[in-house]
Amino acid sequence: MTSLATLGIAALAVLAGSNVQAKDTYSAPQREALGAVDALFAAMAKHDVDASRRLILPGASFVVVLPDGAVKIEPDTGYLETLGKHKEVFRERI
């Protein structure tokens, strides 16, 4: 089990290092866009409605994939309401 944990830590270190290197290859506008996405995902993780509202364009739509695989599209207002009411973990994906 110890060797499995060591292997996992080594894999995470390699992946983290490659992510840092990959970010260096992006242009300034690409880094800016990725920064906005990272900020939105951080706000989602904290259920921070105010920060999310500042990052989302009014009228945006969200595609939600529910645990049963069903897909739901909701407006930004619905998303913000859900974000404030529910405290379960959101699994954000791009």
Side-chain angles (χ1 to χ4, degrees):
M1 188 67 168
T2 303
S3 62
L4 183 57
T6 303
L7 179 61
I9 291 169
L12 285 174
V14 168
L15 290 173
S18 65
N19 188 33
V20 169
Q21 292 171 355
K23 284 186 178 180
D24 291 338
T25 64
Y26 294 126
S27 68
Q30 289 170 321
R31 285 192 304 272
E32 186 177 347
L34 290 171
V37 171
D38 287 343
L40 180 59
F41 282 1
M44 286 176 169
K46 294 176 188 173
H47 291 264
D48 187 336
V49 174
D50 292 331
S52 295
R53 186 176 284 115
R54 287 190 302 270
L55 292 161
I56 297 169
L57 290 173
S61 296
F62 283 78
V63 177
V64 180
V65 180
L66 301 171
D68 66 359
V71 176
K72 178 174 92 170
I73 298 175
E74 66 180 2
D76 59 329
T77 53
Y79 162 75
L80 293 168
E81 183 178 315
T82 299
L83 183 66
K85 287 183 179 177
H86 300 279
K87 299 302 178 191
E88 70 271 7
V89 176
F90 290 177
R91 297 183 64 202
E92 301 83 20
R93 299 292 181 262
I94 279 190

Coordinates of all heavy atoms in Angstrom, one line a residue:
M1 N 0.8 -1.2 0.0 CA 0.0 0.0 0.0 C 0.9 1.3 0.0 O 0.5 2.2 -0.6 CB -0.9 -0.1 1.2 CG -2.0 1.0 1.2 SD -3.1 0.8 -0.1 CE -4.4 1.9 0.3
T2 N 2.0 1.2 0.7 CA 2.9 2.3 0.8 C 3.4 2.7 -0.6 O 3.5 3.8 -1.0 CB 4.1 2.1 1.7 OG1 3.5 1.8 3.0 CG2 5.0 3.3 1.9
S3 N 3.8 1.6 -1.4 CA 4.3 1.9 -2.7 C 3.3 2.5 -3.6 O 3.5 3.3 -4.5 CB 4.9 0.6 -3.3 OG 3.9 -0.4 -3.5
L4 N 2.0 2.1 -3.4 CA 0.9 2.6 -4.2 C 0.7 4.1 -3.9 O 0.5 4.9 -4.8 CB -0.4 1.9 -3.9 CG -1.6 2.3 -4.7 CD1 -1.3 2.2 -6.2 CD2 -2.8 1.4 -4.4
A5 N 0.8 4.5 -2.6 CA 0.7 5.9 -2.2 C 1.9 6.7 -2.8 O 1.7 7.8 -3.2 CB 0.7 6.0 -0.7
T6 N 3.1 6.1 -2.7 CA 4.2 6.8 -3.3 C 4.1 7.0 -4.8 O 4.4 8.1 -5.3 CB 5.5 6.0 -3.0 OG1 5.6 5.8 -1.6 CG2 6.8 6.7 -3.5
L7 N 3.6 6.0 -5.5 CA 3.3 6.1 -6.9 C 2.3 7.2 -7.2 O 2.5 8.0 -8.1 CB 2.8 4.8 -7.5 CG 2.5 4.8 -9.0 CD1 3.8 5.1 -9.8 CD2 2.0 3.4 -9.4
G8 N 1.2 7.3 -6.4 CA 0.2 8.3 -6.6 C 0.8 9.7 -6.3 O 0.5 10.6 -7.1
I9 N 1.6 9.9 -5.3 CA 2.2 11.2 -5.1 C 3.1 11.6 -6.2 O 3.2 12.7 -6.7 CB 3.0 11.2 -3.7 CG1 2.0 11.1 -2.6 CG2 3.9 12.4 -3.6 CD1 2.6 10.8 -1.2
A10 N 3.9 10.6 -6.7 CA 4.8 10.9 -7.8 C 4.0 11.3 -9.1 O 4.4 12.2 -9.8 CB 5.7 9.7 -8.1
A11 N 2.9 10.6 -9.3 CA 2.1 11.0 -10.5 C 1.5 12.4 -10.4 O 1.5 13.1 -11.3 CB 1.0 9.9 -10.6
L12 N 1.0 12.7 -9.2 CA 0.5 14.1 -9.0 C 1.6 15.1 -9.2 O 1.3 16.2 -9.7 CB -0.1 14.2 -7.5 CG -1.4 13.5 -7.3 CD1 -1.8 13.6 -5.9 CD2 -2.5 14.1 -8.2
A13 N 2.8 14.8 -8.7 CA 3.9 15.8 -8.9 C 4.2 16.0 -10.4 O 4.4 17.1 -10.8 CB 5.1 15.3 -8.2
V14 N 4.2 14.9 -11.1 CA 4.4 15.0 -12.6 C 3.3 15.8 -13.3 O 3.6 16.7 -14.1 CB 4.6 13.6 -13.2 CG1 4.6 13.7 -14.7 CG2 5.9 13.0 -12.7
L15 N 2.1 15.5 -12.9 CA 0.9 16.2 -13.5 C 0.9 17.7 -13.2 O 0.7 18.5 -14.0 CB -0.4 15.5 -13.1 CG -0.6 14.2 -13.7 CD1 -1.9 13.6 -13.1 CD2 -0.7 14.2 -15.2
A16 N 1.2 18.0 -11.9 CA 1.3 19.4 -11.5 C 2.4 20.1 -12.2 O 2.2 21.3 -12.7 CB 1.5 19.5 -10.0
G17 N 3.5 19.5 -12.4 CA 4.6 20.1 -13.1 C 4.3 20.4 -14.6 O 4.6 21.4 -15.1
S18 N 3.6 19.4 -15.2 CA 3.3 19.5 -16.6 C 2.2 20.6 -16.8 O 2.2 21.3 -17.8 CB 2.8 18.2 -17.2 OG 1.6 17.8 -16.6
N19 N 1.3 20.8 -15.8 CA 0.3 21.8 -15.9 C 0.9 23.2 -15.9 O 0.5 24.1 -16.6 CB -0.7 21.6 -14.8 CG -1.9 22.6 -14.9 OD1 -2.3 22.9 -16.0 ND2 -2.4 23.0 -13.8
V20 N 1.9 23.4 -15.0 CA 2.6 24.7 -14.9 C 3.3 24.9 -16.2 O 3.3 26.1 -16.8 CB 3.6 24.7 -13.8 CG1 4.5 25.9 -13.8 CG2 2.9 24.6 -12.4
Q21 N 3.9 23.9 -16.8 CA 4.6 24.1 -18.1 C 3.6 24.4 -19.2 O 3.9 25.3 -20.1 CB 5.5 22.9 -18.4 CG 6.6 22.7 -17.5 CD 7.3 21.3 -17.7 OE1 6.8 20.5 -18.5 NE2 8.4 21.1 -17.0
A22 N 2.5 23.8 -19.2 CA 1.5 24.0 -20.2 C 1.0 25.4 -20.2 O 0.7 26.0 -21.2 CB 0.4 23.0 -20.1
K23 N 0.8 25.9 -19.0 CA 0.3 27.3 -18.9 C 1.2 28.3 -19.5 O 0.8 29.4 -20.0 CB 0.0 27.7 -17.4 CG -1.3 27.0 -16.9 CD -1.6 27.5 -15.4 CE -2.8 26.9 -14.9 NZ -3.1 27.3 -13.6
D24 N 2.5 28.0 -19.4 CA 3.5 28.9 -20.0 C 3.4 29.0 -21.5 O 3.9 29.9 -22.1 CB 4.9 28.5 -19.6 CG 5.2 28.7 -18.2 OD1 4.5 29.5 -17.5 OD2 6.1 28.0 -17.6
T25 N 2.7 28.0 -22.2 CA 2.6 28.0 -23.6 C 1.4 28.8 -24.1 O 1.3 29.0 -25.3 CB 2.6 26.6 -24.2 OG1 1.4 25.9 -23.7 CG2 3.8 25.8 -23.7
Y26 N 0.5 29.2 -23.2 CA -0.7 29.9 -23.6 C -0.3 31.4 -23.9 O 0.5 32.0 -23.2 CB -1.8 29.8 -22.6 CG -2.3 28.4 -22.4 CD1 -2.4 27.8 -21.2 CD2 -2.8 27.7 -23.5 CE1 -2.9 26.6 -21.0 CE2 -3.3 26.5 -23.3 CZ -3.4 25.9 -22.1 OH -3.9 24.6 -21.9
S27 N -1.1 32.0 -24.8 CA -0.9 33.4 -25.0 C -1.6 34.2 -23.9 O -2.3 33.6 -23.1 CB -1.6 33.8 -26.3 OG -3.0 33.7 -26.2
A28 N -1.3 35.5 -23.8 CA -1.9 36.3 -22.8 C -3.4 36.3 -22.8 O -4.0 36.1 -21.7 CB -1.4 37.7 -22.9
P29 N -4.1 36.4 -23.9 CA -5.5 36.3 -23.9 C -6.0 34.9 -23.5 O -7.1 34.8 -22.8 CB -5.9 36.6 -25.4 CG -4.8 37.4 -25.9 CD -3.6 36.8 -25.2
Q30 N -5.3 33.9 -23.8 CA -5.7 32.5 -23.4 C -5.6 32.4 -21.9 O -6.5 31.8 -21.2 CB -4.9 31.5 -24.1 CG -5.2 31.3 -25.6 CD -4.3 30.4 -26.3 OE1 -3.1 30.5 -26.1 NE2 -4.8 29.6 -27.2
R31 N -4.5 32.9 -21.3 CA -4.3 32.9 -19.9 C -5.4 33.7 -19.2 O -5.8 33.3 -18.1 CB -2.9 33.4 -19.5 CG -1.8 32.4 -19.8 CD -0.5 32.7 -19.2 NE 0.0 34.1 -19.5 CZ 0.7 34.4 -20.6 NH1 1.1 33.4 -21.5 NH2 1.1 35.6 -20.8
E32 N -5.7 34.8 -19.7 CA -6.8 35.6 -19.1 C -8.1 34.8 -19.1 O -8.8 34.9 -18.1 CB -7.0 36.9 -19.9 CG -7.9 37.9 -19.3 CD -8.0 39.2 -20.0 OE1 -7.2 39.5 -20.9 OE2 -8.9 40.0 -19.7
A33 N -8.5 34.2 -20.2 CA -9.7 33.4 -20.3 C -9.7 32.2 -19.3 O -10.6 32.0 -18.6 CB -9.9 32.9 -21.7
L34 N -8.5 31.5 -19.2 CA -8.4 30.4 -18.3 C -8.5 30.9 -16.9 O -9.0 30.3 -16.0 CB -7.1 29.7 -18.5 CG -7.1 28.9 -19.8 CD1 -5.7 28.3 -20.1 CD2 -8.1 27.7 -19.8
G35 N -7.9 32.1 -16.6 CA -8.0 32.7 -15.3 C -9.5 33.0 -14.9 O -9.8 32.8 -13.7
A36 N -10.3 33.5 -15.8 CA -11.7 33.7 -15.5 C -12.4 32.4 -15.2 O -13.2 32.4 -14.3 CB -12.3 34.4 -16.7
V37 N -12.1 31.4 -16.0 CA -12.7 30.1 -15.7 C -12.3 29.5 -14.4 O -13.1 29.1 -13.6 CB -12.4 29.1 -16.8 CG1 -12.8 27.7 -16.5 CG2 -13.0 29.5 -18.2
D38 N -11.0 29.6 -14.0 CA -10.5 29.2 -12.7 C -11.2 30.0 -11.6 O -11.6 29.4 -10.6 CB -9.0 29.4 -12.6 CG -8.2 28.3 -13.4 OD1 -8.8 27.3 -13.8 OD2 -7.0 28.6 -13.7
A39 N -11.4 31.3 -11.8 CA -12.1 32.1 -10.8 C -13.5 31.7 -10.6 O -14.0 31.6 -9.5 CB -12.0 33.6 -11.2
L40 N -14.2 31.4 -11.7 CA -15.6 31.0 -11.6 C -15.7 29.6 -10.9 O -16.5 29.4 -10.1 CB -16.3 30.9 -13.0 CG -17.7 30.4 -13.0 CD1 -18.6 31.4 -12.2 CD2 -18.2 30.4 -14.5
F41 N -14.8 28.7 -11.3 CA -14.8 27.4 -10.6 C -14.5 27.5 -9.1 O -15.1 26.8 -8.3 CB -13.8 26.4 -11.2 CG -14.3 25.8 -12.6 CD1 -15.5 26.2 -13.1 CD2 -13.5 25.0 -13.2 CE1 -16.0 25.6 -14.3 CE2 -13.9 24.4 -14.4 CZ -15.2 24.7 -15.0
A42 N -13.6 28.4 -8.7 CA -13.3 28.7 -7.3 C -14.6 29.2 -6.6 O -14.9 28.8 -5.5 CB -12.2 29.6 -7.2
A43 N -15.3 30.2 -7.3 CA -16.5 30.7 -6.7 C -17.6 29.7 -6.5 O -18.3 29.6 -5.6 CB -17.0 31.9 -7.6
M44 N -17.7 28.8 -7.5 CA -18.6 27.7 -7.5 C -18.3 26.8 -6.3 O -19.2 26.4 -5.5 CB -18.6 26.8 -8.7 CG -19.2 27.4 -9.9 SD -18.9 26.3 -11.3 CE -20.0 27.0 -12.6
A45 N -17.0 26.4 -6.1 CA -16.6 25.6 -5.0 C -17.0 26.2 -3.6 O -17.3 25.4 -2.7 CB -15.2 25.3 -5.1
K46 N -16.9 27.5 -3.5 CA -17.2 28.2 -2.3 C -18.7 28.6 -2.1 O -19.1 29.1 -1.1 CB -16.4 29.5 -2.2 CG -14.9 29.2 -2.1 CD -14.2 30.5 -2.1 CE -12.7 30.3 -2.2 NZ -12.0 31.7 -2.4
H47 N -19.5 28.3 -3.2 CA -20.9 28.7 -3.3 C -21.0 30.2 -3.0 O -21.9 30.7 -2.4 CB -21.7 27.9 -2.3 CG -21.9 26.5 -2.6 ND1 -22.9 26.0 -3.3 CD2 -21.1 25.4 -2.4 CE1 -22.8 24.7 -3.5 NE2 -21.7 24.3 -3.0
D48 N -20.1 31.0 -3.6 CA -20.0 32.4 -3.5 C -20.8 33.1 -4.6 O -20.4 33.2 -5.8 CB -18.5 32.9 -3.6 CG -18.3 34.3 -3.3 OD1 -19.3 35.1 -3.5 OD2 -17.2 34.7 -2.9
V49 N -22.0 33.4 -4.3 CA -23.0 33.9 -5.3 C -22.5 35.3 -5.8 O -22.6 35.6 -7.0 CB -24.4 34.1 -4.7 CG1 -25.4 34.8 -5.6 CG2 -24.9 32.7 -4.3
D50 N -22.0 36.2 -4.9 CA -21.6 37.5 -5.3 C -20.4 37.4 -6.3 O -20.4 38.1 -7.4 CB -21.2 38.4 -4.1 CG -22.4 38.7 -3.3 OD1 -23.5 38.8 -3.8 OD2 -22.2 38.9 -2.1
A51 N -19.4 36.6 -6.0 CA -18.3 36.5 -6.9 C -18.7 35.8 -8.3 O -18.3 36.3 -9.3 CB -17.2 35.6 -6.3
S52 N -19.6 34.9 -8.2 CA -20.1 34.2 -9.4 C -20.9 35.2 -10.3 O -20.7 35.3 -11.5 CB -21.0 33.1 -9.1 OG -20.3 32.0 -8.5
R53 N -21.7 36.1 -9.6 CA -22.5 37.1 -10.4 C -21.5 38.0 -11.1 O -21.8 38.4 -12.2 CB -23.4 37.8 -9.4 CG -24.3 38.8 -10.1 CD -25.3 39.5 -9.2 NE -26.3 38.5 -8.8 CZ -26.5 38.1 -7.5 NH1 -25.8 38.5 -6.6 NH2 -27.5 37.2 -7.3
R54 N -20.4 38.4 -10.5 CA -19.5 39.3 -11.1 C -18.8 38.7 -12.3 O -18.4 39.4 -13.3 CB -18.4 39.8 -10.1 CG -19.0 40.8 -9.1 CD -17.9 41.4 -8.3 NE -17.1 40.4 -7.6 CZ -17.3 40.0 -6.3 NH1 -18.4 40.5 -5.7 NH2 -16.5 39.1 -5.7
L55 N -18.7 37.4 -12.3 CA -17.9 36.7 -13.4 C -18.8 36.2 -14.6 O -18.3 35.9 -15.6 CB -17.2 35.4 -12.8 CG -16.1 35.8 -11.8 CD1 -15.8 34.6 -11.0 CD2 -14.9 36.2 -12.6
I56 N -20.1 36.1 -14.3 CA -21.0 35.6 -15.3 C -21.7 36.7 -16.1 O -22.2 37.7 -15.6 CB -22.1 34.8 -14.7 CG1 -21.5 33.6 -13.9 CG2 -23.2 34.3 -15.7 CD1 -22.5 32.9 -13.0
L57 N -21.7 36.6 -17.4 CA -22.4 37.6 -18.3 C -23.9 37.4 -18.1 O -24.5 36.3 -18.1 CB -22.1 37.4 -19.7 CG -20.7 37.7 -20.2 CD1 -20.5 37.3 -21.6 CD2 -20.4 39.2 -20.0
P58 N -24.6 38.5 -17.8 CA -26.1 38.5 -17.7 C -26.7 37.8 -18.9 O -26.3 38.0 -20.1 CB -26.5 39.9 -17.6 CG -25.3 40.6 -17.1 CD -24.1 39.9 -17.7
G59 N -27.6 36.9 -18.7 CA -28.3 36.1 -19.7 C -27.6 34.9 -20.1 O -28.0 34.2 -21.0
A60 N -26.5 34.5 -19.5 CA -25.7 33.3 -19.8 C -26.6 32.1 -19.4 O -27.5 32.2 -18.6 CB -24.4 33.2 -19.0
S61 N -26.3 31.0 -20.1 CA -27.0 29.7 -19.8 C -26.0 28.7 -19.3 O -24.8 28.7 -19.7 CB -27.6 29.2 -21.1 OG -28.6 30.0 -21.6
F62 N -26.5 27.9 -18.4 CA -25.7 26.8 -17.8 C -26.2 25.5 -18.2 O -27.4 25.3 -18.2 CB -25.6 26.9 -16.3 CG -24.7 28.0 -15.8 CD1 -25.1 29.3 -15.8 CD2 -23.5 27.7 -15.3 CE1 -24.3 30.3 -15.4 CE2 -22.6 28.7 -14.9 CZ -23.0 30.0 -14.9
V63 N -25.3 24.6 -18.6 CA -25.7 23.2 -18.9 C -25.3 22.4 -17.7 O -24.2 22.3 -17.3 CB -25.0 22.7 -20.2 CG1 -25.4 21.2 -20.4 CG2 -25.4 23.5 -21.4
V64 N -26.3 21.7 -17.1 CA -26.1 20.9 -15.9 C -26.4 19.5 -16.2 O -27.4 19.1 -16.8 CB -27.1 21.4 -14.8 CG1 -26.9 20.6 -13.5 CG2 -27.0 22.9 -14.5
V65 N -25.4 18.6 -15.9 CA -25.6 17.2 -16.1 C -25.9 16.6 -14.7 O -25.0 16.7 -13.8 CB -24.4 16.5 -16.7 CG1 -24.6 15.0 -16.9 CG2 -24.0 17.2 -18.1
L66 N -27.0 16.1 -14.5 CA -27.5 15.6 -13.2 C -26.9 14.2 -13.0 O -26.4 13.5 -13.9 CB -29.0 15.5 -13.2 CG -29.7 16.9 -13.4 CD1 -31.2 16.7 -13.6 CD2 -29.4 17.8 -12.3
P67 N -26.8 13.7 -11.7 CA -26.2 12.4 -11.4 C -26.8 11.3 -12.2 O -26.1 10.3 -12.5 CB -26.5 12.2 -9.9 CG -26.6 13.6 -9.4 CD -27.2 14.4 -10.5
D68 N -28.1 11.4 -12.6 CA -28.7 10.3 -13.4 C -28.4 10.4 -14.9 O -28.8 9.6 -15.7 CB -30.2 10.2 -13.2 CG -30.9 11.5 -13.7 OD1 -30.3 12.4 -14.3 OD2 -32.2 11.5 -13.6
G69 N -27.6 11.4 -15.3 CA -27.2 11.6 -16.7 C -28.1 12.6 -17.5 O -27.8 12.9 -18.6
A70 N -29.2 13.0 -16.8 CA -30.1 13.9 -17.5 C -29.4 15.3 -17.6 O -28.6 15.6 -16.8 CB -31.4 14.0 -16.7
V71 N -29.7 15.9 -18.7 CA -29.1 17.3 -19.0 C -30.2 18.3 -18.8 O -31.3 18.2 -19.3 CB -28.6 17.3 -20.4 CG1 -28.0 18.7 -20.7 CG2 -27.5 16.3 -20.6
K72 N -29.8 19.4 -18.1 CA -30.8 20.5 -17.8 C -30.1 21.8 -18.2 O -28.9 22.0 -17.9 CB -31.1 20.5 -16.4 CG -32.1 21.6 -15.9 CD -32.5 21.4 -14.5 CE -31.6 22.2 -13.6 NZ -32.0 22.2 -12.2
I73 N -30.7 22.7 -18.9 CA -30.2 24.0 -19.2 C -30.9 25.0 -18.4 O -32.2 25.0 -18.4 CB -30.3 24.3 -20.7 CG1 -29.5 23.3 -21.5 CG2 -29.8 25.7 -21.0 CD1 -29.7 23.4 -23.0
E74 N -30.2 25.9 -17.7 CA -30.8 26.9 -16.9 C -30.2 28.2 -17.1 O -29.0 28.3 -17.4 CB -30.9 26.5 -15.4 CG -29.5 26.4 -14.7 CD -29.6 26.0 -13.3 OE1 -30.7 25.7 -12.8 OE2 -28.6 26.0 -12.6
P75 N -30.9 29.3 -16.9 CA -30.4 30.6 -17.1 C -29.5 31.0 -15.9 O -29.5 30.3 -14.8 CB -31.6 31.5 -17.1 CG -32.6 30.8 -16.2 CD -32.3 29.3 -16.5
D76 N -28.7 32.0 -16.1 CA -27.8 32.5 -15.0 C -28.5 32.7 -13.7 O -28.0 32.4 -12.6 CB -27.0 33.7 -15.4 CG -27.9 34.9 -15.8 OD1 -29.0 34.7 -16.3 OD2 -27.4 36.0 -15.6
T77 N -29.7 33.3 -13.7 CA -30.4 33.5 -12.5 C -30.8 32.3 -11.8 O -30.7 32.2 -10.5 CB -31.7 34.4 -12.8 OG1 -32.5 33.7 -13.8 CG2 -31.4 35.8 -13.3
G78 N -31.2 31.2 -12.5 CA -31.5 29.9 -11.9 C -30.2 29.3 -11.3 O -30.3 28.7 -10.2
Y79 N -29.1 29.4 -12.0 CA -27.9 28.9 -11.5 C -27.5 29.6 -10.2 O -27.1 29.0 -9.2 CB -26.7 29.0 -12.5 CG -25.4 28.9 -11.9 CD1 -24.9 27.7 -11.5 CD2 -24.6 30.0 -11.6 CE1 -23.7 27.5 -10.8 CE2 -23.4 29.9 -11.0 CZ -22.9 28.7 -10.6 OH -21.7 28.5 -9.9
L80 N -27.5 30.9 -10.2 CA -27.1 31.7 -9.0 C -28.1 31.4 -7.8 O -27.6 31.3 -6.6 CB -27.1 33.2 -9.3 CG -26.1 33.6 -10.2 CD1 -26.3 35.1 -10.7 CD2 -24.7 33.5 -9.7
E81 N -29.3 31.2 -8.1 CA -30.3 30.8 -7.0 C -29.9 29.4 -6.4 O -29.9 29.2 -5.2 CB -31.7 30.8 -7.5 CG -32.7 30.5 -6.5 CD -34.2 30.6 -7.1 OE1 -34.4 31.5 -7.8 OE2 -35.0 29.7 -6.8
T82 N -29.6 28.5 -7.3 CA -29.2 27.2 -6.9 C -27.9 27.2 -6.1 O -27.8 26.5 -5.1 CB -29.1 26.2 -8.1 OG1 -30.4 26.1 -8.8 CG2 -28.7 24.8 -7.7
L83 N -27.0 28.0 -6.6 CA -25.7 28.1 -5.9 C -25.8 28.6 -4.5 O -25.2 28.1 -3.6 CB -24.8 29.0 -6.7 CG -23.4 29.2 -6.2 CD1 -22.6 27.9 -6.3 CD2 -22.7 30.3 -6.9
G84 N -26.7 29.5 -4.2 CA -26.9 30.1 -2.9 C -27.7 29.1 -2.0 O -27.5 29.1 -0.8
K85 N -28.6 28.4 -2.5 CA -29.5 27.5 -1.7 C -28.8 26.2 -1.3 O -29.1 25.6 -0.3 CB -30.8 27.2 -2.4 CG -31.7 28.4 -2.4 CD -33.0 28.0 -3.1 CE -34.0 29.2 -3.1 NZ -35.2 28.8 -3.8
H86 N -28.1 25.6 -2.3 CA -27.6 24.2 -2.1 C -26.1 24.3 -1.7 O -25.4 25.1 -2.3 CB -27.8 23.4 -3.3 CG -29.2 23.3 -3.7 ND1 -30.1 22.3 -3.1 CD2 -30.0 23.9 -4.6 CE1 -31.3 22.5 -3.6 NE2 -31.3 23.4 -4.5
K87 N -25.7 23.4 -0.8 CA -24.3 23.4 -0.4 C -23.5 22.1 -0.8 O -22.4 21.9 -0.4 CB -24.2 23.6 1.1 CG -24.8 25.0 1.5 CD -24.1 26.1 0.9 CE -24.7 27.5 1.3 NZ -24.3 28.6 0.5
E88 N -24.2 21.3 -1.6 CA -23.5 20.1 -2.1 C -22.3 20.5 -3.0 O -22.3 21.6 -3.5 CB -24.4 19.1 -2.7 CG -24.9 19.5 -4.1 CD -26.2 20.4 -4.0 OE1 -26.7 20.7 -3.0 OE2 -26.7 20.6 -5.1
V89 N -21.4 19.6 -3.2 CA -20.2 19.8 -4.0 C -20.6 19.8 -5.5 O -21.4 19.0 -5.9 CB -19.2 18.7 -3.8 CG1 -18.0 18.9 -4.7 CG2 -18.7 18.7 -2.3
F90 N -20.2 20.9 -6.2 CA -20.5 21.0 -7.6 C -19.2 20.4 -8.3 O -18.1 20.8 -8.0 CB -20.7 22.4 -8.1 CG -22.0 23.0 -7.6 CD1 -22.3 24.3 -7.9 CD2 -23.0 22.3 -7.0 CE1 -23.5 24.9 -7.5 CE2 -24.1 22.8 -6.6 CZ -24.4 24.2 -6.9
R91 N -19.4 19.6 -9.3 CA -18.3 19.0 -10.1 C -18.2 19.7 -11.4 O -18.8 19.3 -12.3 CB -18.5 17.5 -10.2 CG -18.5 16.8 -8.8 CD -18.7 15.3 -9.0 NE -17.5 14.8 -9.7 CZ -17.5 13.6 -10.3 NH1 -18.5 12.9 -10.4 NH2 -16.4 13.2 -10.9
E92 N -17.5 20.7 -11.4 CA -17.4 21.6 -12.6 C -16.5 20.9 -13.7 O -15.4 20.3 -13.3 CB -16.8 22.9 -12.3 CG -17.6 23.7 -11.3 CD -17.3 23.3 -9.9 OE1 -16.2 22.8 -9.6 OE2 -18.2 23.6 -9.0
R93 N -16.8 21.0 -14.9 CA -16.0 20.4 -16.0 C -16.1 21.3 -17.2 O -17.1 22.0 -17.4 CB -16.6 19.0 -16.4 CG -16.6 18.0 -15.3 CD -15.1 17.6 -15.0 NE -15.1 16.6 -13.9 CZ -14.9 16.9 -12.7 NH1 -14.8 18.1 -12.2 NH2 -14.9 15.9 -11.8
I94 N -15.0 21.3 -18.0 CA -15.0 22.1 -19.2 C -14.9 21.0 -20.3 O -14.2 20.1 -20.2 CB -13.8 23.0 -19.3 CG1 -14.2 24.3 -18.6 CG2 -13.5 23.3 -20.7 CD1 -13.2 25.4 -18.7

